[in-house]
Amino acid sequence: MWLNPEEVALKNALKLWITERSNDFFLLQRRRGRGEPTARISGLLVGALDTVLDSNARVTPFRILLQIPGSQISWIIASGAVMEEVNKHWDWLAHNLLHSLSIFENKEDVASFVRGKVKGLIAEESRGRQAAQEDEPEKFREALLKFERHFGLPSSEKLVTFYSCCTWKGRVPRQGLLYLSINHMAFYSFLLGKEVKFVIPWAEVIRLERVSGGFMTEAIRVSTRQRQRDFSMFLNLDEAFGVVGQLADIALRRLLDSEGLELDRVLQQPTRITKRVLEEQALREYVLALFRLPRGEALHEVASCSVWTPHARCHTAGTLYTTDNYLGFSSREEGQCILLIPLSEVVSVEKAESTCALPNPVIVSVRSKKAFQLIELQERDDLVESLECRLRSLHLKQSAFRSSRHAKTACCPSPYYTFYYDTACSDEEEMEEQVLRNTVNTEALMTAFHYNTPGSNNNKNMEAVKEKMWEDHFTEFGRGVHMFRTDKVQRMVAMGIPESRRGELWMTLSDASSDLDSHPGYYASLVQTSMGQSNLTTDEIERDLHRSLPDHPAFQNPTGIAALRRVLTAYAHRNPKIGYCQSMNILASVLLLYAKEEEAFWLLVAVCERMLPDYFNRRVIGAQVDQSVFEQLIGECLPDLADHFPDLSTLSSVSLSWFLTIFVSVLPFHSAVRVVDWFFFHGIKAIFQLALAVLQANAGRLCTRVDDGQALMVLASFLEHVGSDQSSPAEFFQLLADGSNKMADTPAVGQTNITQLISDANERFGDLTVRKIERLRCRHRIQVLQAHEDTTKENALRVVAPDVSISAENLVDIYDLFKTEHFISLYWGDMSAVAAAEAASWRRGASYLERQYRLDLAQFKSLYGLLAPWPAGGAQRNADILAQRTFTLLDSERHHLLSFRDFALWLDTLYCGDLSDKVKLLYRLHLPPALTDSEERSSSSSSGMKIPPVSSSRPLYVGGASEDGRADGKREAKDYQEQLKQMLQDLGVGKDKEKNIHQHLPLMKQHEFIQLCKTLCCLFHGDPDENELFQAIAKVTSLVLQIGEATTRPAGPDRDRLGLPESEWTVSLAQILASVLTEQMLVNFLEKVCDLTGRIAAAKEKQYQQRAPLLALQHAHRR
């Protein structure tokens, strides 16, 4: 294969290579010991060396070198595993390049020419491989070439797919191609001699919608902060809308919050994203949400099949999904029948004999001696083989884990578990605090602490009836994670799980039991490690411990508080990204009441990491996304209510606590626990349905509200009065048989019970599916992330604005340029330094504002060239030197990164500062650390920047010239210092002002001042008044040299302290400033008002064009 040309210092180092073919410019070499008819000792040694090396370091046995006659350096340009492969490359070089190379006079041009050709071949091969992955390779290859030609983006900007569509310019449609890449969407049209071309970065997209009406058919509307564009006339609008939403969502998660949101491993490498990958990821997200699987699960097979369902006495058609550790089945109608089988429970997967009645049957046997029959499986053999392979691997891991576990327990005492009851703790019976903190409860708190509520024996009778009903169900259909989730089970859960079975069924329905079984001893070790630590997270936990269900007796007792502390602290230690978030204490409290402590911990893991993903990160992004989804569902399902609330955020702000605490914080306790039952069965869909039902039940009163406060009181009052069941056993069985319990459209306050509410939610909003929720989440995550981005921007501007004189409009544009530069490097550049700094900021708990948008040196140089008002003398080297000094000066924390504040203050000095501010900036740029040691050493040598000849021996006249233009030499020498001091006083630079200027700045040494003069000369180059400015700087330089020798030459101890040689002198900022004021041309130049607005507008046009080619070259060089 062709390789990016890489230098080889010694063509035949250590005699490891043998030349097989050669000509004037190329060598074909074979690795010694490969392909030899007899085994020589040298070949055996080289072969042994290659064998010892790991797979990444092994050398291919054949290679082609580019050699330049007379040079000791060669470049490896191709390699191969077999001689036939490398011979093809040799023949291509001989037929296509060899003759052309002979006409070059300069041999160095030969190397550049060949390296360019090889890189072109590599790029063509890369395009070919990418195109080969598509359904129509030739069409994709043609589109890829057009995309690169039309938009000029770097080759690393990977095209994902393209669609034929039209965009609208007013009422005129423009038919063309919409290109979707990993970082941008781009449109190109050329009709009737008119070209339409534009590029929209995904980072600028704030909303995606499907719209219709007017002159358009149904269209995709893409909104940015500047404008919106509509695209219509797609052949498959659903597919295009889905891909656009996915790419925008992935890009924003990667760019705006790469650490805060979980991103799949495949999506963390944008160059691996293809249309097929997007389809697979969309399906994977759906499967993870449907079965509430761990986020790290990879989807392997998807197959249509039918499963024998004993409750229905028939085969139910649906789809089988296999992941790393699970088998999942879902009926064609989502939710009608769901089956989840952990592979850790599977004993065998076997092919049964096919019959006419049962085509392609497969039997899955589990540890509980149950078997599941699957039929009508396409590609059954491959599926069974894949499952058997994963099963063998899983069983080997389990066996190895058990062996290591036994070895550890043989030498280490088992953790101390106990359950400490103290239902009547008094002051005289003080417990040992340390013991209580570190013991782990082995029973649910509800077994010791009962919540006393008024009721009758009917409740006890109902509990007994429910327990009997669940026992009958388990006897007939089995229990455990692999229990069928059917309509009957749904009705049983809706009627309420008996308290004695609640913990077990929560573990089953959430599959937390699998985590518990696969991690024995994990929780105890976490408790032992985490307890006793003190940090910000533990302080937050301690503050909230007594706010968790304060009315329940279990949490009015040290036993319950200690258990809650252990669970929350252990989870914070397990997942430091989340740590602890408010509302987690409320959830953990409910879980501890009905589940053992270790089970409660794994239930909390399931809720925080699988069932409510991204809810409990630092900015509760997941919860806010679901609130945005909820607003759209209100508009779709309750349009009359939505019409009465122009701003639905009022309702969504109230519902945020419903979602975060699963209604536990707003409903009476026994009713809230019933909602938790429903949530563990249905997942987040249950909360959406119940929230819609609450709004619908109160729609009439909400529409007549006077203000938002009254609406909130209506909802709060309704939820406070939602009671638990008071049904008799006979009514219970009737409700279970009917499967519904209709309630009035507008129930009176105090007459609604939780069973009615759950039943109504399921009946009216049962068509809300997990698939729809996942699609809406993808779109609304874009809006939520952009809203956070707007908040971040406002905060950054609010902090900086009081300290600068730049107008608000220009400051906003500067922030956008700053952010775009950051994104451009994320798109195509090397962001290792920035990425490392961001990771470090996460580890030290820095705020989001502190973590965002810091530029490294290369990025700053780019913006320097776009925004610096002073010309750079036409020499890029001089501009780079000044930019590097500026970066070093602004990087006060020595993190090699600049914040927006640093950047804005620097620009404010250049565009809005007065003359003294600009001179002070130039002064500081020529002092350490901005002026490096290497520059100091080279100050006396030629650096390409020349200054006019100056003299420090020529006398100076402050008050004017003498009558004949000459003066007496003796008098001049005598009054020399007096004249200079008088000049400073005449210019108004008094002692107080000089002291103020000198307060924080050291004196400038002679060689540093020379560098300052060189910089000034570069700034003047190209100015219309260049000659006059050169003369002015010559006079100022001469004046400062005289001042330095006359007034600031330290003597004695001062000279020793500064480390100055006898010939060295120093000068202060005040003296340089005073000297500059003597030349009006310099004053005019430094006080010239520059057009920042125009400069910003030009920078916006040039930023992409300037950076993209440079980064493309850097990217190619790194490859």
Side-chain angles (χ1 to χ4, degrees):
M1 62 180 177
W2 297 109
L3 302 175
N4 275 302
E6 182 179 349
E7 284 190 7
V8 180
L10 298 175
K11 293 183 290 185
N12 202 16
L14 302 178
K15 303 295 183 181
L16 298 177
W17 294 91
I18 298 173
T19 300
E20 295 287 338
R21 303 172 68 177
S22 66
N23 54 42
D24 291 341
F25 297 99
F26 302 106
L27 297 175
L28 191 157
Q29 294 184 330
R30 173 176 55 83
R31 186 76 164 174
R32 189 177 293 277
R34 301 297 183 93
E36 295 179 351
T38 58
R40 300 178 181 177
I41 184 63
S42 59
L44 291 174
L45 290 174
V46 175
L49 175 65
D50 292 343
T51 303
V52 169
L53 294 175
D54 60 45
S55 58
N56 295 324
R58 289 177 185 167
V59 181
T60 53
F62 302 97
R63 70 180 185 179
I64 298 177
L65 299 180
L66 165 66
Q67 64 172 358
I68 305 301
S71 174
Q72 294 299 315
I73 296 180
S74 301
W75 288 267
I76 180 172
I77 59 174
S79 67
V82 294
M83 191 65 170
E84 291 76 11
E85 179 185 1
V86 80
N87 270 333
K88 291 180 181 179
H89 292 334
W90 179 270
D91 293 340
W92 188 91
L93 293 170
H95 288 93
N96 295 278
L97 288 188
L98 196 56
H99 177 71
S100 301
L101 298 182
S102 61
I103 64 175
F104 281 90
E105 295 182 0
N106 187 346
K107 300 305 180 183
E108 293 182 359
D109 294 340
V110 172
S112 300
F113 177 75
V114 174
R115 291 200 302 267
K117 279 288 185 182
V118 171
K119 289 180 180 180
L121 291 171
I122 293 172
E124 185 63 32
E125 283 186 353
S126 177
R127 283 194 292 267
R129 286 193 297 270
Q130 182 180 348
Q133 299 174 3
E134 304 299 326
D135 296 333
E136 299 178 287
E138 292 303 323
K139 287 186 177 180
F140 188 86
R141 184 180 289 107
E142 180 182 354
L144 182 58
L145 292 173
K146 290 180 179 179
F147 175 70
E148 294 177 350
R149 182 172 68 250
H150 293 323
F151 303 102
L153 298 175
S155 59
S156 56
E157 180 64 19
K158 187 176 185 297
L159 179 65
V160 176
T161 189
F162 64 98
Y163 294 97
S164 175
C165 65
C166 77
T167 188
W168 294 78
K169 192 173 183 180
R171 297 184 177 182
V172 180
R174 298 283 185 177
Q175 185 68 33
L177 286 179
L178 178 66
Y179 300 90
L180 305 179
S181 68
I182 54 177
N183 297 307
H184 303 82
M185 64 184 306
F187 181 82
Y188 183 84
S189 173
F190 187 82
L191 290 175
L192 303 176
K194 291 189 176 180
E195 183 182 62
V196 175
K197 178 172 67 173
F198 55 84
V199 176
I200 304 174
W202 294 123
E204 294 182 7
V205 174
I206 61 173
R207 182 184 291 270
L208 293 174
E209 302 171 280
R210 290 178 66 160
V211 297
S212 60
F215 293 91
M216 296 180 294
T217 58
E218 195 172 14
I220 298 174
R221 174 167 293 170
V222 180
S223 301
T224 65
R225 292 181 177 84
Q226 289 75 35
R227 62 176 302 171
Q228 62 185 30
R229 294 186 182 273
D230 295 326
F231 303 91
S232 63
M233 300 178 67
F234 290 91
L235 292 177
N236 189 335
L237 184 73
D238 292 336
E239 177 191 297
F241 187 61
V243 173
V244 168
Q246 278 186 276
L247 286 171
D249 176 48
I250 292 168
L252 290 175
R253 281 194 282 172
R254 180 168 53 86
L255 297 173
L256 299 185
D257 201 4
S258 58
E259 290 289 338
L261 290 175
E262 295 293 338
L263 199 60
D264 299 326
R265 291 190 299 270
V266 175
L267 304 181
Q268 290 172 358
Q269 300 178 0
T271 54
R272 296 177 58 187
I273 297 176
T274 64
K275 182 181 175 182
R276 188 175 302 169
V277 166
L278 292 178
E279 293 170 352
E280 293 171 354
Q281 288 300 314
L283 180 58
R284 176 180 173 275
E285 291 287 339
Y286 166 69
V287 171
L288 295 185
L290 179 63
F291 297 102
R292 280 99 71 184
L293 300 181
R295 311 307 293 176
E297 287 290 306
L299 182 63
H300 292 285
E301 292 94 11
V302 179
S304 297
C305 70
S306 296
V307 172
W308 174 256
T309 48
H311 59 277
R313 300 293 191 272
C314 66
H315 285 90
T316 300
T319 306
L320 177 70
Y321 304 95
T322 71
T323 68
D324 292 335
N325 298 290
Y326 293 89
L327 290 175
F329 173 83
S330 176
S331 57
R332 289 177 180 173
E333 183 181 346
E334 183 183 293
Q336 182 182 16
C337 178
I338 290 179
L339 174 65
L340 181 65
I341 308 175
L343 288 181
S344 58
E345 294 292 317
V346 175
V347 176
S348 64
V349 179
E350 300 173 320
K351 293 181 286 186
E353 291 298 327
S354 298
T355 66
C356 295
L358 299 175
N360 295 335
V362 171
I363 305 298
V364 179
S365 303
V366 297
R367 298 183 188 278
S368 59
K369 298 182 180 180
K370 287 179 60 177
F372 300 90
Q373 184 186 71
L374 291 75
I375 63 172
E376 299 175 344
L377 274 166
Q378 302 296 325
E379 300 181 356
R380 179 184 65 164
D381 295 346
D382 293 340
L383 176 63
V384 171
E385 182 180 354
S386 175
L387 287 174
E388 287 178 340
C389 181
R390 291 208 293 279
L391 270 179
R392 286 194 297 270
S393 176
L394 184 62
H395 291 164
L396 286 173
K397 288 180 180 178
Q398 290 176 337
S399 176
F401 179 79
R402 283 193 293 268
S403 299
S404 63
R405 186 72 186 166
H406 290 322
K408 289 182 179 179
T409 55
C411 61
C412 300
S414 59
Y416 175 59
Y417 288 85
T418 185
F419 184 67
Y420 190 96
Y421 291 109
D422 187 14
T423 57
C425 180
S426 63
D427 294 337
E428 292 80 8
E429 299 174 348
E430 294 185 358
M431 295 175 296
E432 289 292 335
E433 180 68 16
Q434 190 62 31
V435 174
L436 186 61
R437 280 176 175 265
N438 295 303
T439 56
V440 176
N441 298 341
T442 57
E443 296 294 337
L445 292 177
M446 188 62 77
T447 58
F449 302 96
H450 296 281
Y451 195 46
N452 298 322
T453 56
S456 62
N457 291 330
N458 195 36
N459 289 334
K460 295 182 180 179
N461 294 336
M462 282 301 304
E463 284 294 306
V465 170
K466 292 178 182 178
E467 288 179 6
K468 179 66 168 59
M469 180 183 62
W470 279 99
E471 279 300 323
D472 293 342
H473 182 82
F474 291 150
T475 301
E476 184 176 0
F477 302 110
R479 67 205 309 160
V481 176
H482 40 70
M483 176 179 64
F484 281 98
R485 325 278 174 95
T486 63
D487 289 339
K488 179 186 176 183
V489 177
Q490 174 180 284
R491 290 194 296 271
M492 292 166 64
V493 172
M495 300 305 294
I497 299 174
E499 289 191 357
S500 60
R501 300 294 180 198
R502 186 161 272 146
E504 175 191 352
L505 284 169
W506 284 358
M507 293 290 288
T508 295
L509 296 173
S510 66
D511 190 36
S513 56
S514 295
D515 290 332
L516 175 63
D517 293 340
S518 60
H519 295 83
Y522 176 78
Y523 175 68
S525 65
L526 275 182
V527 170
Q528 186 175 3
T529 304
S530 60
M531 293 305 295
Q533 295 183 1
S534 179
N535 49 49
L536 182 61
T537 299
T538 58
D539 291 344
E540 293 177 355
I541 291 173
E542 289 295 328
R543 283 197 298 268
D544 287 347
L545 286 177
H546 295 277
R547 303 174 187 170
S548 310
L549 301 183
D551 296 333
H552 199 287
F555 300 102
Q556 297 171 353
N557 186 282
T559 300
I561 295 296
L564 181 60
R565 177 188 293 113
R566 288 192 295 271
V567 169
L568 293 176
T569 305
Y571 183 79
H573 189 77
R574 162 191 164 86
N575 191 343
K577 267 190 180 180
I578 292 178
Y580 171 75
C581 179
Q582 285 188 346
S583 77
M584 287 174 64
N585 59 319
I586 298 175
L587 294 177
S589 300
V590 176
L591 300 176
L592 281 166
L593 289 174
Y594 296 100
K596 300 174 184 178
E597 184 176 321
E598 188 172 9
E599 293 176 344
F601 169 79
W602 286 112
L603 283 170
L604 185 65
V605 170
V607 171
C608 294
E609 298 178 11
R610 293 193 274 120
M611 303 184 74
L612 297 177
D614 300 323
Y615 260 57
F616 301 100
N617 57 25
R618 286 180 173 86
R619 298 186 292 160
V620 292
I621 294 291
Q624 294 184 55
V625 170
D626 281 352
Q627 295 312 295
S628 185
V629 171
F630 185 50
E631 291 180 21
Q632 178 169 337
L633 292 176
I634 294 172
E636 294 177 359
C637 303
L638 305 172
D640 294 337
L641 180 62
D643 292 341
H644 284 79
F645 281 84
D647 185 8
L648 289 174
S649 62
T650 301
L651 297 177
S652 63
S653 63
V654 178
S655 64
L656 180 61
S657 64
W658 304 354
F659 284 73
L660 281 171
T661 65
I662 318 176
F663 281 92
V664 172
S665 63
V666 294
L667 285 173
F669 175 75
H670 287 289
S671 299
V673 173
R674 295 277 301 280
V675 175
V676 178
D677 294 343
W678 192 241
F679 168 74
F680 276 117
F681 184 83
H682 272 304
I684 191 61
K685 181 175 73 170
I687 307 303
F688 278 112
Q689 291 175 339
L690 198 61
L692 289 171
V694 170
L695 294 182
Q696 185 186 50
N698 294 275
R701 288 186 293 277
L702 289 174
C703 290
T704 59
R705 95 274 187 257
V706 177
D707 53 31
D708 293 343
Q710 186 177 356
L712 304 185
M713 292 178 62
V714 167
L715 293 173
S717 177
F718 173 83
L719 292 169
E720 286 175 2
H721 292 84
V722 175
S724 55
D725 289 331
Q726 301 296 327
S727 304
S728 65
E731 292 172 335
F732 173 80
F733 282 112
Q734 183 62 40
L735 295 174
L736 186 63
D738 294 342
S740 65
N741 184 30
K742 297 181 180 179
M743 67 179 186
D745 290 340
T746 56
V749 173
Q751 295 182 356
T752 301
N753 65 54
I754 191 61
T755 303
Q756 288 178 314
L757 194 60
I758 290 175
S759 178
D760 185 72
N762 187 53
E763 180 183 353
R764 296 177 184 272
F765 307 107
D767 57 345
L768 178 61
T769 63
V770 173
R771 190 181 297 274
K772 180 176 182 179
I773 292 173
E774 285 303 303
R775 288 175 177 171
L776 291 176
R777 279 175 165 176
C778 181
R779 287 167 48 195
H780 286 271
R781 192 181 293 109
I782 297 170
Q783 297 171 217
V784 171
L785 287 176
Q786 291 289 21
H788 275 272
E789 180 65 14
D790 290 340
T791 302
T792 300
K793 180 177 179 178
E794 291 170 3
N795 291 338
L797 295 176
R798 184 171 62 250
V799 169
V800 173
D803 298 329
V804 299
S805 301
I806 300 173
S807 67
E809 295 79 6
N810 283 341
L811 195 61
V812 169
D813 290 337
I814 292 170
Y815 182 91
D816 291 338
L817 286 170
F818 190 88
K819 181 177 73 172
T820 301
E821 188 64 36
H822 175 85
F823 283 164
I824 287 175
S825 290
L826 282 177
Y827 296 157
W828 311 306
D830 182 6
M831 285 295 294
S832 56
V834 177
E838 186 172 344
S841 65
W842 271 103
R843 287 193 295 270
R844 68 172 185 269
S847 68
Y848 178 68
L849 181 61
E850 293 173 330
R851 290 186 285 106
Q852 277 297 301
Y853 309 140
R854 294 174 182 264
L855 302 188
D856 59 18
L857 177 58
Q859 297 164 332
F860 176 76
K861 284 183 177 181
S862 173
L863 285 183
Y864 183 94
L866 292 170
L867 294 175
W870 293 326
Q876 185 63 39
R877 178 176 179 273
N878 299 337
D880 287 345
I881 291 174
L882 197 57
Q884 185 157 354
R885 291 178 188 169
T886 305
F887 181 87
T888 305
L889 177 64
L890 299 180
D891 181 23
S892 56
E893 297 181 357
R894 299 295 176 263
H895 291 161
H896 307 292
L897 297 169
L898 295 186
S899 67
F900 173 69
R901 176 182 174 81
D902 299 328
F903 186 77
L905 291 174
W906 168 69
L907 275 183
D908 183 66
T909 300
L910 294 183
Y911 282 94
C912 303
D914 56 23
L915 181 142
S916 61
D917 294 329
K918 297 175 183 178
V919 172
K920 182 178 180 181
L921 174 62
L922 289 169
Y923 183 89
R924 295 179 64 198
L925 288 176
H926 295 82
L927 296 175
L931 188 70
T932 62
D933 294 337
S934 59
E935 289 180 301
E936 289 185 17
R937 287 193 297 269
S938 63
S939 61
S940 59
S941 62
S942 175
S943 60
M945 297 185 289
K946 296 184 178 180
I947 60 173
V950 296
S951 171
S952 62
S953 60
R954 185 179 61 222
L956 172 71
Y957 294 90
V958 178
S962 61
E963 294 181 0
D964 58 355
R966 293 175 298 178
D968 182 77
K970 294 181 180 179
R971 183 176 60 83
E972 291 170 0
K974 182 179 180 180
D975 298 336
Y976 188 60
Q977 293 185 358
E978 296 297 330
Q979 293 179 24
L980 293 173
K981 291 178 182 178
Q982 181 62 41
M983 181 201 72
L984 294 175
Q985 294 177 4
D986 292 345
L987 292 171
V989 185
K991 292 183 179 180
D992 293 338
K993 187 172 182 180
E994 182 176 355
K995 181 180 179 181
N996 184 51
I997 295 175
H998 272 287
Q999 190 172 4
H1000 300 294
L1001 294 177
L1003 298 177
M1004 179 175 281
K1005 299 177 183 178
Q1006 180 178 354
H1007 61 274
E1008 295 166 349
F1009 175 70
I1010 294 174
Q1011 289 289 342
L1012 172 61
C1013 295
K1014 293 178 180 180
T1015 298
L1016 287 172
C1017 292
C1018 289
L1019 298 183
F1020 303 149
H1021 188 75
D1023 191 275
D1025 300 320
E1026 179 180 354
N1027 293 333
E1028 291 81 359
L1029 288 168
F1030 271 119
Q1031 295 177 10
I1033 194 60
K1035 295 178 181 178
V1036 168
T1037 302
S1038 178
L1039 176 59
V1040 171
L1041 291 176
Q1042 296 174 51
I1043 293 174
E1045 292 187 349
T1047 62
T1048 61
R1049 180 190 294 272
D1054 291 336
R1055 173 173 297 280
D1056 297 335
R1057 177 176 53 84
L1058 292 173
L1060 299 175
E1062 287 297 326
S1063 59
E1064 187 95 8
W1065 50 261
T1066 60
V1067 65
S1068 69
L1069 171 61
Q1071 293 163 341
I1072 292 178
L1073 180 61
S1075 303
V1076 169
L1077 290 172
T1078 62
E1079 292 296 329
Q1080 191 61 39
M1081 289 300 299
L1082 288 179
V1083 173
N1084 294 342
F1085 177 83
L1086 294 173
E1087 291 187 339
K1088 185 189 304 181
V1089 177
C1090 300
D1091 181 15
L1092 178 58
T1093 303
R1095 195 81 177 186
I1096 291 173
K1100 289 181 178 179
E1101 295 294 328
K1102 296 178 181 178
Q1103 192 171 30
Y1104 260 61
Q1105 289 79 0
Q1106 173 176 304
R1107 287 287 278 163
L1110 177 61
L1111 288 171
L1113 290 175
Q1114 294 174 352
H1115 180 79
H1117 177 70
R1118 285 194 301 273
R1119 287 192 306 174

